[in-house]
Every structure is written in C-alpha cells, then in structure tokens.
Amino acid sequence: MEGLPADLKPFDFIVAGGGTAGSVVASRLSENADFNVLLIEAGPDTAGVLEIDVPGLIGQINASIYNWNYVTTPQPGLNGRTIGVPRGRGLGGSSCINGMAYSRGASDDYDNWARLTGDPRWRWNALWPYIKRHEHWMGAAGGRNATGEYDPSVHGYNGNVGTGLPWDATNEHDIRAIRQTEIQGDLHLVPDLNAGKPIGLTWLQLTTGGGERWSAAKSYLGPHVRRRPNLTILLNTHVTRVLPVKASKPKIDVRTVEVADRAAGSRVTFTAKKELILSGGTIGTPQILLNSGIGNRTELERLGIPVVLDSPFVGEGMMEHVTVTLTWNIVPQNTTIIDPDVAWAMWQQNRTGPLSTPGPVHQVMWYRLPQKTDVLSKYKDPSSGPGSPHFQFTFGDQGRVILLTPYSRGSVKLNSTDPFVHPIIDQGLLTHPFDLAALEEGIRTAKKFYAGPAWEGYVLGFGGPDPDVLSAEEFETRAREVARTFLHPVGTATMSSKHAKRGVVDSELRVKGATGLRVVDASVFPLTPASLTQGPVYIVSERAVDFIRDSWL
C-alpha cells in the first residue's frame, strides 16, 4: 500500500480519513514524538496541484480525481430532483475543493452545543483557545490597508490555517451596501464576522491567506510534518470497516481498521494500541460505521450485516443549509478587466490579482427572521439564540438566500454492503413546512435591502422568485424548482450527553457503547452552525485533539 514503510512499527493512534478533520488530528497527535500515528486517506495527495493551490482556478479542479461526486436520492421537497453533493476526495478533503469562505459561526451556536451535550467545554468562551489555535491571520492579500474590515483582537496569528481578506479594495457595491445599512436601521455593519456576533453586514473572510488556498493538508500536513518519523500517511487506501479487537462487555473495544486499495483488492487490517479516530466526514463516517455493524439493528439485519453495536442514530438526522437563488437587474459597472495572462503573472509574482481569490464578492449579510413574523408564532424558533442568524445572503445579480436553521432532516443509509458503492443520501431538503415559510420571509428581507435608496441607479429591479407577486402555489413551485443544497451537511453521528439515548458519540466524541473509537468530523455536530462548516470543523478538531491527549498523558 502506498506510503507504508518497510519497518512498520505498532501505531498508537490510527486516523481513518485524511480530510479536514483527519489532517488536523494526525498532525497534532504526531507533534508528540512518543505517539506513532497512522493516517489513512482514500484519495490521492493534493500537494502541488495548481488548480487547488490557486483560488481563482477553483472551477478547474478535476472532479473525477478530487471529488466523491455523490448524488442524492430524488428529493420530494425539490419536486423530485436529484442534486449533486460534492465532497473532497484526497488529502485535505473538502478544504481542497470548497469556496474558501471562512466563518466560525455565532457564539450562541456553541453555547447551545454545550447545553445539548451537558458539557460546558463546548461553550464559545471555553473554545476560544482552540479558535485562535488553528488560525494564522495574514490580512489582505498583497498587503493593502484593510483597516476597518476586520477586528485584529479576534484572530489568531500563530496557527496553521492561513486566513485573510481579498486583494482588491472596496468597490461601489460595498459602499452602497454600507450606506443602505445606515439608512435602513435594522441592520448594521459588523466589524468582524468571526467575533461570535455575525448578524448584520460583514466583510467576507477567506482561507486564502497570502493569496493561496490554505487547505487542511497545506495547513497541517506540510513537508516538515510529513518528515516526522512517527507519522505514516497511506494514500489511495479505502477504509472499509472498523472492527472490534475482542468481544467484551459492557462495551466493545473497537481499535482495528480494515482497508483496501480497490474494490477487488485484498483487505488489510491495522490495530491501534490506544485509539482509532474515524474522520470520514458527514457521509463517509456513517457509511463506514454501518458497514462495520454499528448502527440501527433493524437496518443492519435487513442487509445481512452482523450487529456489532446497536446504535440507532448512526446516519440519521442529517442537517443541511438550503438556498434559493434570486435575480436582480443590476446596471453593469465600469470595472477593469484583467487579461488572463496578466492575472497569471500577478499571481505568480506576488499572489495578487483575480486569481488570488475565488470570486469578486467582498461582503455577506447575516440576519434573523422578524420577531413578529407568523413563522415564529407558528413554529418554535430553531436558532441557537438571539445572536445566531436564520439566514445568510450572498450579494450579486444572482444573489442567494441561505436558510441556516432548517427543520428538515435527512439521512445516510447503505445502498449495498460493498463499501465501495456510494451510500443512499437523502438530504430531506424542504420537507418541513417551516423551511419554505422561512425562506419566503428571508427573500422579502433581501428584496427590501436591495430596494433601498442607496441602490438607486444601480439595482433596477427584482427578478424573483418574488413571494409578493406570485401566488402562494406559484411561489412554492418556483422555490422548489430552484432550491438546492449549500453544501454544508452535518450531524449524521451527533454528539449528545453521556447518558442521553439519542446521539452516537458523547461530548468527548467517543462512540457510545464502545471503547477505543472516536469520531472527529462534521458528522458529530449536534446542530448545524449558522455559518459555513469549515471553521467549526477546525475548532472541533482542535478541541478533540486535547480530549485524546488528555486521555493518554
């Protein structure tokens, strides 16, 4: 197998999955020279892949190599459409193919996690050292003066993940947006979206510090880390199952991982002396657990899989942000078009220019449902608290309203007992009536913002879908036709309090009913954060590392 040394020594820790979380965990654990660590990744290396390294080449990343290319089942809430679910395949996982936006979420989100798990160590204030530990703030690409676009006090400067702001300065849209918040009054300009209180108009931050993509692989598995004699990385090696070392009661001891390099290849096992950490992601983790006989007893028996551990909530409760694309008629602006050859030269010379960023947008807006709306009188508020937004709005002639607090839930189930066959992914988008009703109000707020006086002569009209023009039936039909996932699935192996019947892992991310096995990735999120998932995954992974270390030091 690729990367396996001839003089193989027993591994203290095995990390199954080299995506965003797995890269963090393997890197941090191998900082201790006394820990021998094995990291297993199904995909290839991503180091030196130009389309990954250059933010502006995001659209050219080879999806046949670096993407799992999952597809959902037909979605009833989307009028029966299937939709693609891209997930990163390769060292660094989805951090190698995502849109590079960097947000941590609201402090209320983490405080709610602490309530749900009964563990105050998940509170925002308790996580603050880990929030700063993973970040290396690098300012604006090219070194322009970005004063007022971020708060220096809320960033980390000695961490791993290079973060920053776009290379180009404030444009007309930015100025008008700020002016509209001043006129409107119910929104304000937030100094920094990552200070824990993001509601309002904020400046977009990116994991493109210095004009390059900082994937988890680049950030945590650089050349100096790979040279560690106590870290072994297996690439192009598929984790098929996790297995008990021996039968024991009341808990099974799961520290063995079964792998293969291809569907027809022979299966090989490795056993960790201390712990096995599963980091397969929101889709991969439940698939591996279910194939291992860890899941709902009824489902496993139906497929003929021997039940190792009856854990009914494995693969259940998937949460996903849902978005509707809106259109506006915007007057074309007099912008300077940079020739592609010039843009390439700029990036090569000093990591600036249009290739240093994934897109031209500088700002994003976060907001809540109006307090007196009928939606909140009919349904319990699903947000984590008053500081947590219900919506994210991305600007442009094709702007997006993203519902961050859906009631709808989905699942991941086995399609086959063959671990190389993609699982059945049902995201359940728009299956709960709250979600469509909330999106209707969210669209009205975005429409109101762009209709304000600050946009006179710039925004000429709203193209919809408009809930105030269409009938209720027409709006519902149109919304379901254009809605799609915002690519932030979480919660298929959720954490909960130690004695709670629900959930898959406890607050220290140990699989309930087992010893030796933890899950560290976005599947453990008990509720979807009102943010993108990349920032929270780094935070959770850094916190998990200390849970593991504290158990063995």
Side-chain angles (χ1 to χ4, degrees):
M1 293 195 171
E2 184 179 337
L4 201 62
D7 55 339
L8 191 64
K9 298 178 181 178
F11 297 107
D12 297 292
F13 298 98
I14 297 175
V15 183
T20 305
S23 297
V24 177
V25 174
S27 177
R28 290 297 191 198
L29 289 177
S30 62
E31 288 174 348
N32 186 331
D34 293 331
F35 290 160
N36 197 26
V37 180
L38 171 64
L39 173 63
I40 305 169
E41 167 52 36
D45 199 352
T46 55
V49 178
L50 192 67
E51 294 82 4
I52 292 175
D53 292 342
V54 182
L57 297 182
I58 181 173
Q60 299 179 30
I61 296 172
N62 191 330
S64 66
I65 297 175
Y66 302 107
N67 194 329
W68 283 100
N69 295 307
Y70 295 117
V71 178
T72 68
T73 58
Q75 298 290 284
L78 304 185
N79 293 340
R81 288 184 291 130
T82 60
I83 51 175
V85 184
R87 296 283 91 192
R89 182 179 178 277
L91 211 57
S94 293
S95 69
C96 294
I97 67 169
N98 65 10
M100 292 160 273
Y102 175 67
S103 65
R104 302 167 181 163
S107 59
D108 283 353
D109 296 333
Y110 298 93
D111 292 348
N112 195 34
W113 287 10
R115 288 191 294 270
L116 292 170
T117 60
D119 191 336
R121 291 174 295 181
W122 286 108
R123 290 183 61 83
W124 172 267
N125 289 341
L127 290 170
W128 191 244
Y130 303 99
I131 291 172
K132 286 201 166 184
R133 187 165 87 179
H134 78 266
E135 185 185 21
H136 178 197
W137 178 259
M138 301 173 71
R144 69 173 175 83
N145 186 351
T147 302
E149 296 181 26
Y150 71 103
D151 180 353
S153 69
V154 302
H155 290 280
Y157 295 86
N158 300 305
N160 298 60
V161 184
T163 61
L165 294 161
W167 72 286
D168 50 338
T170 303
N171 59 33
E172 182 180 354
H173 186 286
D174 303 334
I175 296 169
R176 287 177 181 264
I178 294 170
R179 177 59 180 151
Q180 183 58 33
T181 62
E182 296 169 347
I183 295 171
Q184 197 163 311
D186 56 353
L187 289 169
H188 64 282
L189 181 64
V190 178
D192 197 301
L193 84 160
N194 282 317
K197 305 291 182 184
I199 294 176
L201 178 69
T202 68
W203 296 99
L204 183 64
Q205 297 176 13
L206 302 163
T207 53
T208 56
E212 300 181 26
R213 178 195 289 269
W214 284 79
S215 69
K218 177 181 174 67
S219 302
Y220 285 90
L221 297 172
H224 67 291
V225 175
R226 299 189 191 205
R227 286 194 292 268
R228 292 173 184 166
N230 62 322
L231 175 62
T232 300
I233 300 175
L234 285 184
L235 297 172
N236 302 303
T237 303
H238 198 106
V239 174
T240 55
R241 293 187 296 171
V242 295
L243 304 169
V245 176
K246 58 183 178 180
S248 59
K249 294 186 177 180
K251 294 184 176 183
I252 57 169
D253 184 11
V254 183
R255 289 181 286 112
T256 296
V257 62
E258 178 188 80
V259 301
D261 56 5
R262 61 189 184 281
S266 59
R267 306 291 170 91
V268 178
T269 61
F270 301 98
T271 298
K273 292 167 60 179
K274 291 182 169 63
E275 286 191 30
L276 170 60
I277 299 99
L278 179 56
S279 296
T282 299
I283 295 171
T285 282
Q287 181 183 17
I288 293 168
L289 289 173
L290 291 168
N291 268 311
S292 306
I294 300 174
N296 184 292
R297 175 181 294 275
T298 302
E299 287 293 310
L300 295 174
E301 290 176 344
R302 182 179 63 82
L303 289 165
I305 298 174
V307 179
V308 173
L309 175 63
D310 185 14
S311 184
F313 298 101
V314 171
E316 299 297 324
M318 177 192 282
M319 294 161 278
E320 172 63 294
H321 299 156
V322 61
T323 178
V324 171
T325 300
L326 310 175
T327 61
W328 278 269
N329 183 7
I330 294 179
V331 175
Q333 301 303 296
N334 293 321
T335 55
T336 301
I337 304 299
I338 298 178
D339 181 83
D341 290 339
V342 174
W344 176 239
M346 292 174 69
W347 190 84
Q348 285 186 303
Q349 181 177 356
N350 54 19
R351 299 299 191 261
T352 62
L355 291 178
S356 68
T357 182
V361 177
H362 296 162
Q363 296 170 324
V364 65
M365 192 165 73
W366 314 82
Y367 56 98
R368 288 179 58 81
L369 283 163
Q371 192 62 39
K372 295 182 180 180
T373 183
D374 291 342
V375 182
L376 290 182
S377 64
K378 188 174 182 180
Y379 302 99
K380 182 181 178 182
D381 185 354
S383 72
S384 296
S388 183
H390 294 108
F391 301 101
Q392 175 186 341
F393 178 54
T394 62
F395 294 108
D397 55 357
Q398 290 194 338
R400 294 174 185 167
V401 168
I402 303 108
L403 178 62
L404 304 171
T405 57
Y407 262 106
S408 299
R409 296 291 185 268
S411 64
V412 174
K413 298 181 183 295
L414 291 184
N415 194 24
S416 164
T417 55
D418 182 349
F420 288 85
V421 174
H422 284 181
I424 299 169
I425 303 168
D426 177 9
Q427 294 192 320
L429 298 176
L430 295 184
T431 53
H432 193 286
F434 168 86
D435 296 359
L436 193 63
L439 278 168
E440 184 175 334
E441 291 301 322
I443 290 171
R444 286 193 175 101
T445 299
K447 175 185 169 183
K448 174 186 174 183
F449 185 80
Y450 256 159
W455 303 102
E456 184 177 354
Y458 188 95
V459 177
L460 302 182
F462 180 45
D466 191 338
D468 299 319
V469 171
L470 301 172
S471 69
E473 294 77 12
E474 289 171 334
F475 173 76
E476 178 176 350
T477 298
R478 183 61 181 147
R480 293 188 187 280
E481 286 175 348
V482 299
R484 64 179 182 84
T485 168
F486 204 53
L487 309 179
H488 302 140
V490 304
T492 51
T494 55
M495 59 174 160
S496 59
S497 63
K498 186 175 183 180
H499 301 293
K501 292 182 179 180
R502 293 191 64 84
V504 176
V505 300
D506 65 16
S507 67
E508 292 192 353
L509 311 186
R510 294 171 293 208
V511 172
K512 294 182 177 184
T515 61
L517 178 63
R518 293 188 208 237
V519 175
V520 183
D521 55 39
S523 71
V524 305
F525 292 7
L527 278 177
T528 179
S531 72
L532 313 177
T533 51
Q534 182 175 209
V537 168
Y538 283 124
I539 296 166
V540 167
S541 302
E542 290 278 13
R543 172 65 269 195
V545 167
D546 276 6
F547 285 147
I548 298 167
R549 285 171 172 166
D550 291 346
S551 297
W552 298 101
L553 294 178

